[in-house]
Amino acid sequence: MPLLTLDAVSLAFGMQPLLDQASMTIEAGERVCLLGRNGEGKSTLLKIVSGEVTADGGVVRLDDGAILSVLPQNLPVNDTRTAYEAVSGAFPETGELLAEFHRLSQTADEASLDRLMKVQERLEALDGWRLDQKVGAILEQYGIDPEQCLNTLSGGWQRRVLLARALVTEPDILLLDEPTNHLDVPAIAWLEEALGQFRGAILFVSHDRAFIRRMATRIVELDRGHLVSFAATYDRYLDLKEKALEEEDRQNALFDKRLKQEEAWIRQGIKARRTRNMGRVRALKAMREERQQRRERGGTASFSVEDAARSGKLVVEASDAGFAYPDGTAVIRDMNMTVLRGDKIGLVGENGTGKTTLVRLMLGDLKPTDGRIRLGTNLQIAYFDQLRGELDLERNALDNLSEGREFIEINGQSKHVLGYLQEFLFSPERARSPVRVFSGGERARLLLAKLFSKPANILVLDEPTNDLDVETLELLESRLVEFAGTVIVISHDREFLDNVATDTVFLDGSGKVAEFVGGYTDWRRQGGRFPSEGVSRKATKPPKNQNPVPEKKPEAPTVADTKKTKPVKLSYKLKLELEKLPGQIEELETELEKLRAEISDPEFYSGPAESVSSTLAELGDKEAHLEKVIERWMELEEQANQ
């Protein structure tokens, strides 16, 4: 029996239904990615499954006794709860009692002791101490300080706390809505590993293509109110989807041709009317109704970038540049870099390593405290804010963009504001809606529309891929590649960086800035690694203060230190291990290819549930094993090349 069933679910807001008799099932152990354009209703569908929103019709059925948990899309704002309180809150009554017990145990007055005894008695009746152990265990597993307040944590650590809360109940199915948003690459890798170890079913919404490829065992697309399942990997889904759209266009063309013929027949003269077949007339009426009910696929975004006059050939030149806060905390040090017109720079680094500070230095918003930074001539900058701060949520899209104008100039052509917004897939009705009702993807598209309506020869994009659907994302990539000016991108989307960046600039958190040719994959190929990858896989606890800590002045190395830093040659045993690892990697990749081919078979999920679950579990285990083998190979290769 399926773990989750949606049967003929319908929901409408306004004229067009978001869900129109939508149906699907999810089996135990599946990892299903829900795809669809921005505004199609993916987040709403997850809310229907979780019970947050009630459908207009149809059935949503969870298997008897099954537990469902949700990892929300939005991070908490100004949440003063501790991590312990947030995670224990997954158990409503017990969690509140446990949090109260922890607070009361810090005081010593008689009134508190009296209440403490009552709380303790109730906890014992609810088996609260067992749940307390579960909360403590998962916090320790994820390296989370239980006393850390959520409002002092970075987005990545907040996401980690929320995942701990979702998993502490040991759910059978987990719902995830854009789980990689605002996470840096190491945090995404950690999330992938944590979810890979989860043995329950997962239904998730994501537009991070690398994450989808890593996680999804099946793709379900929400398209014009209907759910269409593709028992395939993400790349195979893209091929199948393209063929399906071609077939849909062919069938629609045949239908429209036949309808046109029937309309011509019904309008013939008196002679034809005498021989009219009433059955044919009724069939024509049915065809008209069918054509009227057809929901056309929305158009494709077709925006372009407004080019300003060319900047000088030199955009930025940094010589031994550095920046430190007044307290001496160094964020950037000894930076030497030259950016020329037309360069596409991708900034990579963990959250808090100073990427935004580096951009502000490069644009002249901050003055270096050391060295020199020289800016080029005729620089016109357009900035994309990941927090969407430039949008007024109470005004509609039209007012946000127009700023009092009726027409805007794009590359010498005058365009009406409504027509320009339609290029970004905003209908006239949607363009007049307040921004506060927009989905995250629609807000991102509106900000891109506003950004590209202004002439610029330098584009600075801070996390532009968050919430964008794949079609818009791919168009954005092509426009940035075609853009004649300079592009500076802060992004944790690995595939986006590969497709756009000509150079990757890496910040390691110590203030050092290193430049590499190519995108993210090229940086990894050249030995690029994040600092957190050099330590134990077990999560380290977040700092109490998110601001960088001033480094201590280096002390003179001792003899023992000198011996420790001397390159260590591989032993004979390690050399043998290194020689065998490529073969192991190739063997694992072959096994994974066979498993993925088996899972992509349309008949796979119709087999016994135990067989499906065991195969999916085997896939997850082998993927995790392959990752460890590759890491070991990289580690030994690095030692061998010293």
Side-chain angles (χ1 to χ4, degrees):
M1 181 177 177
L3 184 63
L4 174 68
T5 301
L6 274 70
D7 186 12
V9 174
S10 298
L11 181 70
F13 296 124
M15 298 296 292
Q16 291 284 8
L18 277 180
L19 300 174
D20 186 7
Q21 302 287 307
S23 300
M24 75 168 178
T25 60
I26 296 180
E27 302 285 347
E30 283 193 281
R31 298 200 295 262
V32 179
C33 177
L34 179 62
L35 290 180
R37 288 185 167 188
N38 295 138
E40 284 282 353
K42 302 182 298 296
S43 296
T44 302
L45 178 62
L46 292 189
K47 290 177 181 178
I48 289 175
V49 173
S50 67
E52 187 177 343
V53 171
T54 302
D56 296 335
V59 176
V60 179
R61 184 171 55 252
L62 196 63
D63 192 21
D64 290 342
I67 300 174
L68 181 144
S69 283
V70 180
L71 180 66
Q73 179 182 22
N74 297 321
L75 297 174
V77 179
N78 296 326
D79 194 331
T80 58
R81 290 179 300 169
T82 65
Y84 180 90
E85 291 171 343
V87 175
S88 63
F91 309 103
E93 182 184 359
T94 310
E96 291 179 9
L97 290 170
L98 286 170
E100 185 178 3
F101 181 85
H102 279 265
R103 286 196 303 271
L104 293 173
S105 61
Q106 306 299 320
T107 61
D109 58 272
E110 291 188 11
S112 297
L113 290 174
D114 183 56
R115 175 59 184 165
L116 188 66
M117 292 178 61
K118 293 180 179 179
V119 170
Q120 185 173 357
E121 290 174 2
R122 183 60 180 156
L123 282 172
E124 290 173 353
L126 294 173
D127 196 17
W129 303 122
R130 182 179 62 84
L131 299 181
D132 177 60
Q133 290 178 349
K134 291 175 66 175
V135 172
I138 199 166
L139 287 171
E140 182 178 359
Q141 178 186 348
Y142 288 174
I144 301 169
D145 182 352
E147 300 305 321
Q148 188 93 46
C149 290
L150 265 64
N151 59 0
T152 65
L153 294 174
S154 66
W157 281 98
Q158 287 187 18
R159 185 76 68 186
R160 191 173 295 208
V161 172
L162 294 178
L163 182 62
R165 176 191 172 99
L167 295 183
V168 73
T169 58
E170 300 178 357
D172 299 285
I173 183 167
L174 181 63
L175 306 183
L176 310 172
D177 195 353
E178 294 287 1
T180 63
N181 276 4
H182 309 296
L183 297 188
D184 56 28
V185 175
I188 293 173
W190 175 88
L191 179 64
E192 290 173 346
E193 182 176 347
L195 294 176
Q197 296 171 358
F198 176 61
R199 294 306 175 214
I202 300 175
L203 174 61
F204 68 97
V205 173
S206 180
H207 298 126
D208 184 326
R209 292 158 292 182
F211 182 80
I212 296 171
R213 287 188 175 93
R214 175 75 173 82
M215 297 304 304
T217 59
R218 179 160 64 101
I219 305 294
V220 172
E221 184 180 35
L222 178 56
D223 183 12
R224 289 162 284 179
H226 297 283
L227 291 170
V228 184
S229 178
F230 296 84
T233 60
Y234 178 69
D235 292 309
R236 177 62 177 155
Y237 150 77
L238 294 176
D239 294 335
L240 294 173
K241 179 62 179 176
E242 184 177 359
K243 293 176 182 177
L245 289 175
E246 290 174 357
E247 178 62 19
E248 179 184 335
D249 290 341
R250 190 180 72 83
Q251 292 293 339
N252 285 343
L254 289 173
F255 180 91
D256 293 343
K257 181 179 179 180
R258 183 168 168 235
L259 177 60
K260 186 177 180 180
Q261 292 171 343
E262 292 299 296
E263 292 286 3
W265 169 80
I266 200 70
R267 289 179 174 80
Q268 286 180 1
I270 299 297
K271 183 179 179 180
R273 290 198 185 106
R274 290 177 187 159
T275 59
R276 230 179 239 168
N277 182 303
M278 293 310 297
R280 190 171 178 181
V281 173
R282 286 192 294 270
L284 174 59
K285 290 181 178 178
M287 290 180 70
R288 287 173 175 171
E289 180 67 21
E290 182 178 346
R291 180 63 184 86
Q292 186 177 0
Q293 294 299 322
R294 182 197 298 172
R295 288 180 64 177
E296 299 290 352
R297 181 171 173 81
T300 302
S302 57
F303 54 81
S304 58
V305 183
E306 165 72 338
D307 288 324
R310 294 173 67 184
S311 66
K313 184 176 181 181
L314 176 70
V315 176
V316 180
E317 183 181 51
S319 303
D320 298 321
F323 179 81
Y325 290 117
D327 63 1
T329 303
V331 183
I332 305 293
R333 64 177 76 211
D334 302 326
M335 178 177 69
N336 292 282
M337 182 168 60
T338 301
V339 179
L340 302 178
R341 181 181 63 238
D343 285 350
K344 309 293 189 291
I345 308 295
L347 299 187
V348 176
E350 298 181 36
N351 287 334
T353 53
K355 297 186 293 297
T356 302
T357 300
L358 175 58
V359 169
R360 294 182 65 192
L361 281 171
M362 294 171 68
L363 301 181
D365 291 343
L366 289 177
K367 300 297 181 184
T369 54
D370 295 299
R372 182 174 66 93
I373 292 181
R374 182 162 67 98
L375 300 180
T377 58
N378 192 31
L379 303 184
Q380 292 183 257
I381 301 164
Y383 191 87
F384 181 97
D385 177 15
Q386 65 163 320
L387 300 178
R388 321 289 192 246
E390 293 189 16
L391 298 178
D392 186 338
L393 301 185
E394 297 305 317
R395 301 172 72 189
N396 59 32
L398 194 62
D399 292 338
N400 264 282
L401 173 69
S402 66
E403 297 176 347
R405 300 170 294 175
E406 187 175 356
F407 292 89
I408 56 177
E409 292 283 334
I410 302 293
N411 292 328
Q413 293 185 346
S414 179
K415 293 186 179 182
H416 194 276
V417 175
L418 274 176
Y420 177 69
L421 280 172
Q422 285 181 297
E423 295 180 2
F424 290 81
L425 304 183
F426 290 103
S427 66
E429 294 79 14
R430 197 61 173 168
R432 293 186 174 93
S433 301
V435 174
R436 56 182 163 76
V437 303
F438 283 8
S439 67
E442 288 175 311
R443 294 183 187 185
R445 273 194 275 117
L446 177 57
L447 193 57
L448 285 176
K450 190 171 183 178
L451 177 79
F452 293 157
S453 69
K454 300 174 182 177
N457 49 37
I458 297 181
L459 295 178
V460 181
L461 308 172
D462 191 353
E463 290 292 347
T465 65
N466 286 346
D467 304 311
L468 285 182
D469 59 47
V470 174
E471 287 185 13
T472 307
L473 192 55
E474 291 176 347
L475 178 62
L476 175 62
E477 290 173 347
S478 66
R479 291 295 179 265
L480 292 179
V481 170
E482 295 166 0
F483 181 56
T486 306
V487 178
I488 301 173
V489 178
I490 299 174
S491 180
H492 303 302
D493 187 319
R494 295 154 286 184
E495 190 159 338
F496 182 81
L497 290 170
D498 280 340
N499 294 339
V500 172
T502 59
D503 297 90
T504 297
V505 173
F506 174 63
L507 292 81
D508 66 1
S510 71
K512 296 179 182 177
V513 178
E515 189 174 5
F516 299 81
V517 175
Y520 175 83
T521 301
D522 298 304
W523 169 67
R524 296 290 287 190
R525 190 180 295 119
Q526 295 172 67
R529 299 184 74 184
F530 293 95
S532 60
E533 293 178 316
V535 298
S536 169
R537 301 289 292 180
K538 185 176 179 180
T540 56
K541 292 188 177 182
K544 291 286 184 182
N545 187 347
Q546 289 299 312
N547 294 325
V549 178
E551 292 186 352
K552 295 181 180 179
K553 293 183 179 180
E555 299 176 357
T558 62
V559 176
D561 291 331
T562 306
K563 289 180 179 179
K564 287 179 184 177
T565 57
K566 185 179 180 180
V568 180
K569 292 185 178 181
L570 291 179
S571 65
Y572 178 72
K573 183 178 179 181
L574 291 180
K575 285 181 180 178
L576 287 179
E577 182 183 355
L578 179 59
E579 290 173 1
K580 292 178 181 178
L581 285 175
Q584 292 180 26
I585 292 172
E586 186 176 352
E587 183 179 345
L588 283 169
E589 287 177 338
T590 302
E591 293 174 0
L592 280 169
E593 188 175 345
K594 290 179 180 178
L595 281 173
R596 288 170 181 147
E598 180 183 350
I599 290 170
S600 65
D601 190 319
E603 301 297 323
F604 173 73
Y605 290 102
S606 62
E610 292 183 1
S611 175
V612 170
S613 298
S614 65
T615 304
L616 293 174
E618 183 181 359
L619 176 68
D621 291 340
K622 286 192 181 297
E623 286 176 336
H625 183 42
L626 175 61
E627 184 180 345
K628 291 179 180 178
V629 173
I630 291 175
E631 285 183 356
R632 179 60 174 166
W633 173 75
M634 291 174 63
E635 180 184 341
L636 293 179
E637 272 284 311
E638 189 176 343
Q639 292 183 29
N641 293 329
Q642 285 183 346

